[in-house]
Amino acid sequence: MDTALTSADGLTAAEVAARAADGRTNAFQAEASRSAWTIVRANVFTLFNGIVFACFFVLFLVGHWQDALFGFAAFANAIIGCVQEFRAKSALDRLALLSAAPARVRREGAEVEIPPGEVVLDDLLVLRAGDQIPADAEVLHTRGLQIDESMLTGESDAVDKHQGDEALSGSIVVGGEGTARVTRVGADAYANRFAGEAKRFSLVASELRTSINRVLKWVGWGIGPIGLLVFNAQIMVAGGYETAFTTGRWVQAVVNSIASLTAMIPLGLVLMTSIAFAVGAAKLASRQVLVNELPAVEGLARVDLICLDKTGTLTIGEIGFDAAHPLAPVDGWQDALAWYAASPDANATARAMRDEYPVGDVTLDATGYIPFSSARKWSAVSFAAPHSDDPARRTAGTWVLGAPEMIFGDAATSPASAFGRTVTELAETGRRTLVLARTDEPITEADIEAERLPGIPTPVVVLTFREQVRPDAAQTLSYFRQQGVGIRIISGDNPRTVAAIAREVGLDVPEGFDARTLPDDPDELADVLETHTVFGRVTPEQKKGMVVALQSRGHTVAMTGDGVNDALAIKTADIGIAMNSGSPATKAVARLVLLDGQFSHLPDVVAEGRQVIANVERVSMLFLTKTAYATALAIVFGALVLEFPFLPRQLSITDGLTIGIPAFFLALMPNARRYVPGFLRRSLTFAIPAGLIVALGLTWYTFVAKGLGVSEEQLRTGATIILAVVGIWVLAVLSRPLNRFKVLVIGAMFVALVVVFTVPLATRFFALVDPGEDLAIALTGITVVMIAGIEVVRLIHRRLVAPAFAPPAVASAAGADATAAGGPDATPASPVSAAVGAVIATVVAVLAYAIGFLSAGLGVLVLLSRYEEPDAAEAVTLSLSGAGIALFGLLVVAVAAGIRRGSGLSRLLVTVYLAIAVVLSTVIAITSDRWDGGASAVGLVAVVTIVLLWTPPVSRRFGRIRDSSMTARPAEASPPTAR
């Protein structure tokens, strides 16, 4: 054995140098998160970015820069992905279980302070109160040495250390002093083993991201062969390979092929998902919730089981004084407790009594004192008689404070005495019990040396303490139970104590399960976890194993905690949640950090996650419908050797106005629908049939256009019109139930489309021309058929495939009863009046649908009549008026469903839309003799409908506009408010 191991002078300089040369130092650099180059490579050099950027640059090379707008979405995706992972890398790289405080060592007989990384194996650590132990060590000498290992083991009590005991790196010296020889350094040290495992890079599990990546993978496998098929078809259309390359028509073939390929890639879906995550994270940050990784916003909404650490999570981590239970009429015990509470070396339990028992006017002179030790669990002090004539304040004698069973043995729990019964009853409530006892015998020097009690003490008062439970814990756990989320409480403390805390926060648990008896077999462990709720004496390794066992049973697990002992479990869980008061390691590996430690923020996270999932699911149907019809178009047009009917820039119109821009707003709207597994299945079961309808409709249109002998520019313009109108309808279908914001977005997109197809600057840029009367009539009929097909698909999808996708029931705007109540304070109408109102409301709803369809049909006819008008100004008037009448007619149809529900907002919107349609019909009646009859009929029916909507029998059925049923929040999804 090296003589240095037993030398009280510590290592010599030569011995230190030898160990440093051998690498036996405490310097530690764990395998960090991924390098910057790895992150950039993973987000930039992907298959899809390669395809998109290649297409982007090819279009630039052939001079079609106008058709390369899609490249910017790929740039945005790569930037967002890199930023997201760099944020996670930054958090992991800041991980440090050991602080930068210097270590105190003895070398060559002298105490020196050095950085923790310069500590070497066999160094002699000098430990004093407040020190953090830099490396694992064996205690050599001790004088009342107490170490807090709660951040490592979860045990909240400080541990007495004796010669030969192990002192773990990362723990804190809270009392006494001693020396210890370093036994493990660097990566072998206990704390650094946690850091090494915790710093391994991993992204949070995200169903949205996984599903989208799966779609991208499927499309990626198909892009190559489909691209060759389309390119061959475009070359054949251009006259064959020889003709195409000699005449230069291969350029248009390349542009058409790129249009088909880029349309297949749902790049905007990735971007919208990232934006939804980022906005959710920003909103949570304003509520004091830090999101270390964006998809974690989604994750908590998917959680079906949450594991909670007790100390520092359910509880504040501090001991609070509960009550005093006197046993014998002995004077002076209050002053004795005040002395213990004010003592300079008072532990946390004693300090908790300071408010209840402050130091009084009497000066107490301690003549003998035996400090508290967690091994014997008691302390004793003798006082001289105080300088007071008041006998009630006399405290002479010896006062002993400690655990009842350690002072009185079995008598402390014996039902034969009042003392035993009191202690037992109080302990069964889960409260920590201490006893204050007294004896007339003073403490002698021999007693102090032997650490023994003088004489036979008599119990005077039983004291109870309890950990301070976070005030918002019970209400938040109640919310999770209501939402069907299972709860497991996992702690390193005594199972009885943990169970008592669990009962205090509202869990019905008779007792805790002692983790020391947990089985090692994962399946058996999972069985125990399925049948028990509270676990005590759990080690850090067991916490991680418990999370893994629960995940093996199909649970999506969240883990909360604040100590280093929770870090591995938090890292392993699907969603890790840390308190800001916790260790740096725990906060670094957690997905979410509660900055103010308030549990009441977790329902906010759930609500935000639900909004992200539900809205992204809605948005995904838009993008995946596009991918479906683009893929089907590419295959059909390639197989039939037809010219692709779009330029890339024309697809940018439909992508932007029917998918991209509205998707941005839809992804950020309130949505409290509960999470339902099967996101991708539900999305594809709508997107694929809807996409096939679009592809078949465009194929039909292409054959009709070829039969009419129109030019390529007219064919592309007509195809763009069809795709734009049908895209708007798909948007409206997926936005139901509509509210004022969704209607505003859809209406704005429709107006923008009219502008794009009307303003000369836009028509020139997007290569749009007048399709001609015959083609306009044909595309109108084909569009109507396609819209009807989309409606059938959505009806089947909602009824058979995804009934759970429907939003939860909302509170009626007109009150719980569907009677004629205009508000909560309105007087109920008579039965006769209510019946009349119901009949009129039904008539009005039917009229609303009828006038909506009538207006839409009239608008289309007026729009088509522009071809028969020789005057250009008159033609523009007919175009704009016809488009407007059709638009507002369709909006009336979309909103009319709210009339039967008593929605005040629906009534207002229908009124506004019909009023605008009346104005436009009047303009048509004045300016065009051909359509004055139809316009007058539409205007008259619209006015009648408006009047009926505001008649008293019908008005009483509608709620207030601000309480509309279309915007009310589901009662079941409302999180508790803990203020």
Side-chain angles (χ1 to χ4, degrees), residues 231-496:
F231 180 72
N232 178 73
Q234 303 312 298
I235 291 292
M236 292 297 102
V237 170
Y241 283 90
E242 183 177 354
T243 302
F245 283 99
T246 55
T247 61
R249 298 185 66 183
W250 64 270
V251 173
Q252 189 60 50
V254 169
V255 172
N256 290 347
S257 300
I258 289 176
S260 68
L261 293 180
T262 55
M264 293 169 55
I265 304 174
L267 287 171
L269 178 57
V270 182
L271 182 60
M272 286 299 105
T273 303
S274 297
I275 290 174
F277 283 152
V279 171
K283 290 167 65 176
L284 291 175
S286 66
R287 300 172 187 166
Q288 298 298 301
V289 178
L290 174 64
V291 180
N292 277 341
E293 195 174 333
L294 295 183
V297 177
E298 165 209 347
L300 194 56
R302 295 189 293 107
V303 164
D304 64 353
L305 196 146
I306 184 168
C307 297
L308 307 168
D309 178 51
K310 178 184 70 69
T311 306
T313 305
L314 287 181
T315 65
I316 299 175
E318 299 177 358
I319 289 292
F321 178 75
D322 178 55
H325 308 269
L327 300 169
V330 178
D331 296 330
W333 61 269
Q334 295 94 339
D335 289 329
L337 290 178
W339 186 92
Y340 272 112
S343 174
D345 63 349
N347 58 22
T349 305
R351 290 195 300 270
M353 299 186 295
R354 286 180 177 176
D355 291 339
E356 188 71 20
Y357 301 105
V359 176
D361 299 331
V362 177
T363 301
L364 300 179
D365 297 326
T367 58
Y369 177 50
I370 301 176
F372 178 82
S373 163
S374 59
R376 48 181 155 77
K377 297 189 181 298
W378 57 263
S379 61
V381 61
S382 294
F383 297 118
H387 303 292
S388 172
D389 295 332
D390 184 356
R393 305 294 296 277
R394 298 182 64 84
T395 54
T398 298
W399 296 87
V400 184
L401 179 66
E405 63 274 15
M406 300 302 289
I407 300 174
F408 294 98
D410 293 340
T413 56
S414 172
S417 65
F419 169 52
R421 291 192 297 272
T422 300
V423 170
T424 301
E425 291 172 0
L426 294 173
E428 287 177 350
T429 67
R431 286 175 284 182
R432 182 173 300 183
T433 58
L434 295 181
V435 64
L436 180 67
R438 184 182 181 279
T439 176
D440 291 331
E441 300 292 330
I443 296 175
T444 64
E445 289 295 331
D447 294 331
I448 296 175
E449 184 68 24
E451 294 187 352
R452 68 189 179 201
L453 289 173
I456 300 176
T458 301
V460 176
V461 58
V462 175
L463 306 167
T464 52
F465 301 81
R466 67 171 69 242
E467 289 189 80
Q468 297 183 29
V469 176
R470 292 184 182 275
D472 54 352
Q475 196 171 17
T476 303
L477 293 186
S478 174
Y479 167 74
F480 279 118
R481 291 197 303 274
Q482 293 170 7
Q483 299 301 308
V485 177
I487 297 170
R488 299 293 183 272
I489 298 181
I490 302 172
S491 175
D493 260 354
N494 186 290
R496 177 181 292 180

Side-chain angles (χ1 to χ4, degrees), residues 752-802:
L753 283 176
V754 173
V755 171
V756 167
F757 283 95
T758 306
V759 175
L761 180 62
T763 57
R764 286 195 299 270
F765 179 82
F766 291 106
L768 301 173
V769 297
D770 192 331
E773 181 177 7
D774 293 338
L775 190 59
I777 294 173
L779 70 88
T780 300
I782 292 172
T783 301
V784 171
V785 173
M786 291 169 66
I787 287 176
I790 295 294
E791 286 290 343
V792 172
V793 168
R794 185 54 171 164
L795 178 64
I796 296 174
H797 182 260
R798 293 187 67 90
R799 294 289 178 86
L800 302 179
V801 179

Side-chain angles (χ1 to χ4, degrees), residues 22 34 84 104 204 216 493 593 616 661 669 720 728 737 761 769-770 784 794 814 820 848 875 945:
D22 293 342
R34 297 195 297 178
Q84 174 180 338
R104 188 183 299 106
V204 64
L216 294 177
D493 260 354
V593 180
V616 170
I661 296 175
M669 286 184 175
T720 305
I728 286 286
L761 180 62
V769 297
D770 192 331
V784 171
R794 185 54 171 164
T945 304

